[in-house]
Amino acid sequence: MLTPRQQAALAATGCELDCRPLTRQLYATDASLYEVLPLGVAFPGTAAQAAAVLRVAAELGISVTPRGAGSGLTGGALNDGLILDLARHNRRIHAFDPERRLVRVGAGVVLDQLNQFLKPHGFQFGPDVATSSRATLGGMIANNSSGARAPRFGCTGEHVAGLELLLADGRIASVDATHPGILEPLRQRLERLVELHSDDIRHHQPPGLVKHHPGYALDRCLEDPARALLHVLAGSEGTLAGIFSAELRVVPLPREKGLAVLFFPSIPEALQATVALLDLQPVAIEHVDRILFDQTRGQRAFQAARDLLRLDEAPAEAFLIVEFYEDVVERLQAVASRRLGQRTLLLRHEPEMQLVWGLRKAGLSLLTGMAGPAKPATCIEDVAVRPEQLPAYYAAVAGLLKKLDLSACFYGHAASGLLHIRPVLDLHTPQGRRHLRLLSDEVSALCREFNGSLAAEHGVGIARTEYLPHHLGPRLMQACADIKNLFDPRHLLNPGKIIPDGRFHVDTRLRTTPEAPLALPFTPRLAFAARDGSFLANLEQCNGCGGCLKATPAMCPTYIATGEEALSTRGRANTLRAALAGKLGAEGLRALTLAELDYTLGTCLSCKACQTECPSNVNLALLKAEVLQARHTHHGLPLTARLMSHTDRLGRLGCAAPRLANFLLHSGPGRRLWQRFLGFSAQRLLPAFAAQRFDAWFDRRPPWPSPAPRGSVFLWDDCFTRYHHPHIGQAAVHVLEAAGFEVLRLRHRQCCGRPAFSQGNLDEAARLGRHNLQLLAAQPESLPILFLEPSCWAMFAEDYRELNLPHAAAIAGRCLLFSAFLDDLLCREPEALPLQPLPRAAAIHVHCHAKALLSTAFLARLAARVPHSTARLLDTGCCGMAGAFGYQQEHYALSLQVARPLLDQLNALPPDAQVIAEGASCRQQIEHLTPRRPWHMAEWLAAALPRNLRRF
């Protein structure tokens, strides 16, 4: 831990510095197997601040490790000194010159962000890594990343035109191929080193690889001495200098693209086919095996891709994705004419191709989400051989795995001779760790036999540094040490990586150890039935891949709003793990009351996005509810949580005297009292109570003239519809009756339990759910149950099963969103609902729970059935309200931050566009932030009904 004097010296640089235990724990892991606790984290906003931190750290003798997204697989961004986060505040695209095809970016710019910027200009960045949604350009340069299209675009370093560097002594240096600047003396010495060792370079790093060799790019320096400085820095993993910004070459977007997907009964046949297809000069050939694509079974995010590939009806053991950019029709036909494998699928439509690539790019994250304690481990996954050697290399590794009785996944860049081989290991056990060591040793030796690259795109890091001397030989290893000394003579930049000093080995510093397994200080209440079957199993599904760091809706809304690691799904999972492991200053039940958990879990919106958008399906909403329940069990239920758990009771009280209740809610003094005693923000208006409750209105209606043409349905009158927005329930009744249904109301129903569940009051949620399910179980099984509020529907569709309630699974099958039910009806019978023209445009904001549990394209389809109207889904994530969250004063500002993307899109709409939002909380946020009054889908459809179809 940094001493007070050291902290003061670093803070005096003006750079944001965080040495809190939580932050150190969050930066102790990345997407690798390893955990190394740093002294603290610095977040520079400018190059001058970053340089000042390096200068002071050098004076104090503190090591510094640059870090981007923390999505690396070998531990390259982990170390025990100071972490320099170059991503949080450094995400600007500074300049773009389309004529010279150059763009200057901050090191924290994410690849997808850059490509989104370049696309309207007709350009893209060539190398395309699978982690493009969160991989930073600084990290890609530091790792010399490449990805699937390396046969066409090579590695990242080949596209670097210039760098703004942070040197170990705190100087800032700018360098390009022709102007080394203050690094001219280093360039000259580097040139002499390469000349001196040219014979060894040719021997140990022979040509022929599409990917790169590990170390300091000596082979590339020999081939292209004019760019030697840039070559050495690309792939140096922050051991020579930090990268603050870069000038990059970009390439034109392809005029046309096409994919051939070939299916095979075995992996060897797929790899032999790869060799047979190389003469067609594909941009990429990717290999995917059954172990990987089986992980997509049952995952809604990948169902469309599975259907397209016919993985269920026409199974295969492996498939190849072959991509072309030029002469697409001819080359696709050439692939088909060779009749390789069992069958061939030819694709030219961009949405279909994206489905296939989306499945492939989720590779590692899908695999590490495998159920059970044994996971596909990243220890031998980065070896590249020449493509024609790939079948023989596969056979050798498969034989080794068979000897050890281990299964593994084989997928990756077949056209580049690189398979990401993930042996399934249980690192909780001593045997798993022994296998990790044995496989790493054996494959390192095997790689030398093939003259391949041990670290071809993921970096050397912790995992492979110990093996580098065996692959380079003593003279080249000394040459690398000399290069390290030229740039960093005191070895303060990411020490122990590439140049081994004994501190790191492939099987040490593992985050999962048999010596300290996680244990729960409480008995879990929830089933985690949809995925893993236990609290700890779901928690440990978080592998650190960083999928939650993407900047697009919906996961994770609080990270998108703040950029704080602690407020991402990964950050919350790591915080919870650290707390349960006693690493945050408390153990057992005391760990549940830590302020760090209050901060990370208290700001989780329980939006459910992570359970589908996280490739490992980590369900933070359930983890949070479980921890809150355990805390309440042992420390009592807070007053606010108790009140929020009884929304139904509060509704009955408010509607008994609505004028008085609304005055107390909405008057200035009343709002200040709510803020002072219950923590509700005085800036918010709590929902007004209705003068007439929906159930009272419903029960006074004239009876339906029997029999109804299309039968009967139950309409669930949720608390918001019943007590606050009865007009929405009335509109739904109008629409359903116009469609020929008799509408029934379930008498004696209670609140669905969503408010109690969200407060972690699981006992109360279970009590309410048990009551409701018993009522419904006594009703005819043929009657659908329709919901207007998505969060209430989600309780029946999913959360009652998590609470292990009787009848939950059977009743869930009968529960439907009102809008989904009507869309299904109108898809079967387009004339079932007579609608008149309504010449308006509808913009639909989708509720988080609907988005998490359904494919919601039907909403735009349903809204567009109104004649003369148009409808589209807004590309939005969470609105920021999340039930009671947005009402709380402590979360009010964050609620508005989360809402910013939604607000921007709403403000860009034409004034006469009608916003549709089915969630009560969503509508409240929209009304709070804009002058618009959003409608429910029921209101939109009811507005288009002929008046003579309304019975009252």
Side-chain angles (χ1 to χ4, degrees):
M1 189 171 178
L2 291 172
T3 66
R5 183 181 72 84
Q6 291 172 328
Q7 288 193 44
L10 289 165
T13 64
C15 181
E16 179 185 349
L17 181 70
D18 194 338
C19 300
R20 293 174 298 173
L22 173 59
T23 302
R24 295 171 63 209
Q25 283 294 332
L26 294 179
Y27 281 79
T29 58
D30 56 6
S32 71
L33 303 175
Y34 304 101
E35 180 172 352
V36 184
L37 187 67
L39 296 173
V41 186
F43 301 94
T46 65
Q49 284 184 350
V53 168
L54 282 165
R55 186 165 54 252
V56 171
E59 293 169 357
L60 297 172
I62 296 171
S63 69
V64 177
T65 297
R67 176 167 166 144
S71 58
L73 298 174
T74 64
L78 307 180
N79 225 311
D80 49 16
L82 186 70
I83 301 295
L84 192 67
D85 186 327
L86 294 172
R88 180 183 289 185
H89 302 307
N90 190 18
R91 299 200 169 197
R92 282 186 57 206
I93 298 173
H94 297 282
F96 174 52
D97 185 341
E99 292 186 3
R100 298 173 61 211
R101 298 184 180 182
L102 292 174
V103 64
R104 177 163 284 281
V105 299
V109 170
V110 171
L111 179 56
D112 278 356
Q113 174 194 355
L114 175 61
N115 282 334
Q116 185 178 15
F117 168 84
L118 292 172
K119 186 175 182 179
H121 302 281
F123 292 95
Q124 67 179 11
F125 187 67
D128 180 23
V129 295
T131 54
S132 61
S133 65
R134 63 269 192 196
T136 64
L137 271 302
M140 288 179 63
I141 297 167
N143 260 8
N144 201 14
S145 304
S146 48
R149 298 176 177 92
R152 178 61 165 270
F153 298 119
C155 301
T156 297
E158 297 166 46
H159 299 260
V160 175
L163 294 171
E164 182 183 20
L165 300 173
L166 306 166
L167 301 182
D169 58 7
R171 291 179 296 163
I172 300 173
S174 294
V175 58
D176 61 34
T178 56
H179 299 88
I182 63 174
L183 297 185
E184 173 61 22
L186 272 71
R187 188 199 65 78
Q188 294 177 8
R189 295 177 68 181
L190 178 60
E191 185 178 347
R192 289 195 292 271
L193 263 176
V194 172
E195 289 176 359
L196 178 64
H197 295 285
S198 58
D199 290 339
D200 285 306
I201 294 170
R202 292 187 182 95
H203 174 71
H204 288 284
Q205 298 184 329
L209 292 181
V210 177
K211 303 286 184 173
H212 65 76
H213 288 284
Y216 290 134
L218 296 170
D219 57 328
R220 283 171 281 139
C221 293
L222 183 62
E223 294 169 8
D224 184 14
R227 288 173 48 84
L229 275 175
L230 295 177
H231 284 315
V232 162
L233 290 161
S236 60
E237 302 181 39
T239 62
L240 303 181
I243 298 167
F244 196 79
S245 69
E247 189 172 51
L248 305 173
R249 294 189 180 89
V250 297
V251 299
L253 287 167
R255 291 189 301 272
E256 58 175 345
K257 291 191 288 187
L259 284 188
V261 187
L262 293 81
F263 300 82
F264 297 89
S266 71
I267 293 175
E269 289 180 67
L271 299 181
Q272 289 291 349
T274 297
V275 178
L277 291 168
L278 291 174
D279 66 299
L280 295 176
Q281 297 183 311
V283 174
I285 303 179
E286 293 292 286
H287 177 269
V288 182
D289 75 353
R290 176 184 280 277
I291 290 182
L292 188 150
F293 60 72
D294 274 355
Q295 295 305 303
T296 64
R297 183 175 284 118
Q299 292 210 42
R300 186 172 56 80
F302 298 100
Q303 190 56 50
R306 289 187 64 85
D307 293 343
L308 175 66
L309 298 173
R310 298 171 58 214
L311 295 179
D312 296 308
E313 59 190 276
E317 289 302 314
F319 63 81
L320 295 178
I321 306 168
V322 187
E323 184 174 62
F324 298 102
Y325 278 1
E326 293 96 11
D327 304 320
V328 166
V329 173
E330 295 85 348
R331 295 189 187 195
L332 290 179
Q333 289 302 322
V335 173
S337 68
R338 297 188 181 187
R339 301 187 181 278
L340 298 169
Q342 299 164 303
R343 56 189 175 92
T344 299
L345 176 66
L346 304 181
L347 303 173
R348 293 194 60 200
H349 296 295
E350 185 66 24
E352 292 180 330
M353 292 189 287
Q354 287 301 323
L355 285 175
V356 176
W357 279 116
L359 186 151
R360 161 60 189 91
K361 291 178 77 170
L364 172 63
S365 304
L366 282 167
L367 288 170
T368 48
M370 183 181 289
K375 306 289 184 186
T378 56
C379 58
I380 58 171
E381 88 292 347
D382 208 24
V383 172
V385 296
R386 286 135 198 92
E388 62 273 13
Q389 297 174 312
L390 200 54
Y393 175 70
Y394 162 79
V397 177
L400 174 61
L401 291 165
K402 184 178 181 180
K403 186 169 64 175
L404 297 173
D405 195 26
L406 292 173
S407 62
C409 175
F410 296 80
Y411 78 99
H413 317 307
S416 301
L418 192 158
L419 286 183
H420 296 313
I421 304 173
R422 320 277 183 178
V424 181
L425 303 176
D426 185 357
L427 297 179
H428 300 86
T429 67
Q431 184 185 42
R433 294 179 71 169
R434 285 195 296 271
H435 282 153
L436 176 71
R437 162 57 65 183
L438 179 61
L439 284 170
S440 299
D441 289 350
E442 292 287 340
V443 171
S444 173
L446 192 60
C447 177
R448 293 201 305 275
E449 291 180 22
F450 280 86
N451 276 324
S453 169
L454 185 68
E457 66 175 6
H458 292 162
V460 176
I462 292 174
R464 291 181 257 279
T465 288
E466 67 174 288
Y467 297 108
L468 216 53
H470 303 292
H471 288 258
L472 295 181
R475 287 190 292 271
L476 286 193
M477 200 66 229
Q478 183 57 53
C480 286
D482 292 342
I483 293 172
K484 171 73 170 174
N485 291 333
L486 289 176
F487 283 87
D488 180 23
R490 296 177 61 191
H491 287 220
L492 293 177
L493 287 176
N494 206 5
K497 314 287 179 59
I498 298 181
I499 307 301
D501 61 8
R503 74 178 73 190
F504 295 127
H505 298 278
V506 67
D507 54 352
T508 60
R509 309 290 189 106
L510 296 173
R511 71 160 89 177
T512 301
T513 65
E515 294 83 12
L518 283 182
L520 290 180
F522 58 88
T523 300
R525 179 74 174 75
L526 299 173
F528 290 86
R531 187 69 171 88
D532 307 293
S534 82
F535 180 100
L536 283 179
N538 190 253
L539 177 60
E540 292 199 330
Q541 288 290 18
C542 179
N543 54 71
C545 74
C548 47
L549 305 185
K550 62 182 182 178
T552 54
M555 180 184 72
C556 177
T558 46
Y559 175 79
I560 294 170
T562 65
E564 288 190 42
E565 175 77 18
L567 301 190
S568 66
T569 303
R570 177 174 77 175
R572 291 189 172 100
N574 280 337
T575 301
L576 188 48
R577 276 195 287 227
L580 293 175
K583 296 177 179 179
L584 295 178
E587 295 182 351
L589 290 171
R590 289 179 53 242
L592 303 183
T593 63
L594 286 166
E596 290 87 347
L597 272 187
D598 279 340
Y599 178 60
T600 55
L601 294 187
T603 52
C604 170
L605 305 181
S606 298
C607 67
K608 293 180 179 280
C610 51
Q611 75 181 69
T612 51
E613 290 204 19
C614 169
S616 299
N617 305 128
V618 176
N619 194 326
L620 248 298
L622 295 187
L623 295 171
K624 171 188 175 180
E626 192 82 86
V627 170
L628 291 178
Q629 164 73 14
R631 184 188 294 178
H632 300 334
T633 299
H634 293 90
H635 302 285
L637 192 66
L639 176 60
T640 301
R642 190 179 301 277
L643 283 175
M644 294 304 302
S645 297
H646 296 287
T647 302
D648 207 7
R649 189 177 303 170
L650 293 173
R652 291 197 301 271
L653 289 172
C655 284
R659 294 183 64 182
L660 175 61
N662 290 334
F663 174 77
L664 294 175
L665 286 179
H666 297 158
S667 67
R671 287 154 69 181
R672 288 190 290 273
L673 284 173
W674 295 125
Q675 180 169 312
R676 180 176 180 182
F677 292 106
L678 295 177
F680 293 153
S681 173
Q683 296 166 277
R684 293 273 192 194
L685 280 178
L686 290 165
F689 292 102
Q692 183 185 39
R693 292 167 33 165
F694 171 77
D695 55 339
W697 170 86
F698 186 93
D699 292 345
R700 292 191 180 99
R701 296 160 52 254
W704 178 270
S706 298
R710 287 192 171 83
S712 302
V713 295
F714 277 110
L715 181 65
W716 182 267
D717 58 322
D718 58 88
C719 295
F720 273 95
T721 299
R722 176 177 285 191
Y723 302 116
H724 303 285
H725 307 303
H727 62 282
I728 292 175
Q730 293 166 14
V733 172
H734 288 313
V735 171
L736 289 168
E737 291 191 338
F741 293 99
E742 178 188 16
V743 182
L744 306 176
R745 183 178 71 82
L746 186 68
R747 298 182 183 277
H748 311 299
R749 75 102 180 101
Q750 295 189 6
C751 173
C752 70
R754 170 61 63 200
F757 196 98
S758 67
Q759 297 295 318
N761 190 358
L762 301 185
D763 290 337
E764 177 64 10
R767 183 189 70 79
L768 296 168
R770 194 174 293 109
H771 171 87
N772 292 329
L773 290 171
Q774 287 174 348
L775 283 180
L776 287 168
Q779 306 301 320
E781 294 182 4
S782 61
L783 297 187
I785 308 147
L786 308 185
F787 292 80
L788 295 166
E789 173 58 45
S791 61
C792 296
W793 166 74
M795 284 299 295
F796 283 81
E798 180 176 70
D799 294 313
Y800 283 171
R801 282 181 284 182
E802 295 294 350
L803 287 163
N804 290 301
L805 299 182
H807 311 296
I811 299 297
R814 297 165 52 193
C815 296
L816 300 163
L817 279 178
F818 163 86
S819 50
F821 175 80
L822 279 174
D823 175 69
D824 181 65
L825 170 68
L826 295 177
C827 285
R828 289 183 284 107
E829 303 178 54
E831 306 303 322
L833 189 63
L835 297 171
Q836 292 183 332
L838 186 64
R840 296 186 70 176
I844 305 168
H845 169 69
V846 183
H847 190 281
C848 291
H849 290 176
K851 190 178 292 185
L853 302 180
L854 285 174
S855 178
T856 55
F858 72 87
L859 288 166
R861 182 172 61 235
L862 175 61
R865 289 189 181 275
V866 174
H868 298 176
S869 70
T870 61
R872 67 182 179 92
L873 299 183
L874 294 172
D875 185 21
T876 51
C878 183
C879 71
M881 278 298 288
F885 178 89
Y887 285 112
Q888 296 166 343
Q889 177 60 29
E890 64 176 320
H891 297 144
Y892 178 75
L894 181 56
S895 171
L896 299 192
Q897 280 182 272
V898 171
R900 174 53 58 184
L902 168 62
L903 184 59
D904 290 343
Q905 293 196 44
L906 293 177
N907 288 339
L909 293 174
D912 60 345
Q914 179 59 57
V915 176
I916 297 176
E918 295 199 316
S921 293
C922 306
R923 295 193 298 273
Q924 289 156 8
Q925 183 78 301
I926 292 169
E927 289 181 344
H928 180 64
L929 296 176
T930 76
R932 297 178 182 272
R933 190 187 83 76
W935 284 2
H936 191 282
M937 183 67 77
E939 296 178 271
W940 172 258
L941 296 175
L945 287 177
R947 288 193 173 275
N948 65 340
L949 289 183
R950 302 188 182 193
R951 294 197 302 120
F952 40 86

